[in-house]
Amino acid sequence: MSHEQYQTVIKTLHECMEACNHCYDACLKEDDIQMMSDCIRLDRECADICGYFEQALGRGTPFVSELAGVCAQICEACGNECKKHDHDHCQKCAKACFECAEECRKLAA
């Protein structure tokens, strides 16, 4: 596939990265930061892999299916953690993560 054929997943990866970065920042400002530690950690992991995978697709990586599988796994884990929290930023992040995981699974197959 060419770079142009990845536009949907690239857009989804970018949106997930942004949602995770926003959630990460907002979680750091919550009153009970200890309760948010797993969310914060997974936000970082997810934002990092989404950003990396977005860049890798843009440069034509030969490891599309491998990276897509890892990205889907991390996005799913982050989404599952975020959905446990009632904060609006966590709920929005979970939605973005699940959408991204779904798009990545299509490439991992």
Side-chain angles (χ1 to χ4, degrees):
M1 270 192 195
S2 69
H3 175 261
E4 290 77 27
Q5 292 172 300
Y6 291 125
Q7 286 308 305
T8 299
V9 73
I10 287 172
K11 180 179 182 291
T12 305
L13 286 162
H14 193 80
E15 289 169 356
C16 187
M17 179 187 67
E18 286 183 336
C20 287
N21 281 331
H22 174 73
C23 188
Y24 169 83
D25 185 58
C27 284
L28 288 173
K29 296 172 184 164
E30 293 294 338
D31 291 334
D32 189 356
I33 197 167
Q34 187 61 39
M35 182 185 77
M36 304 306 293
S37 63
D38 288 340
C39 191
I40 292 166
R41 184 175 296 110
L42 284 166
D43 282 338
R44 274 286 20 102
E45 291 286 335
C46 194
D48 287 350
I49 190 64
C50 287
Y52 177 78
F53 191 28
E54 178 186 0
Q55 291 173 33
L57 286 172
R59 66 177 170 265
T61 181
F63 302 105
V64 172
S65 63
E66 295 87 348
L67 289 171
V70 170
C71 193
Q73 186 177 359
I74 293 171
C75 287
E76 188 81 27
C78 188
N80 284 331
E81 178 59 34
C82 284
K83 78 177 183 180
K84 294 177 187 176
H85 305 284
D86 290 332
H87 311 310
D88 187 53
H89 56 85
C90 288
Q91 293 301 309
K92 287 180 179 174
C93 187
K95 183 179 183 298
C97 287
F98 292 138
E99 289 172 4
C100 193
E102 186 177 327
E103 285 297 316
C104 286
R105 275 191 218 96
K106 293 175 188 175
L107 294 180

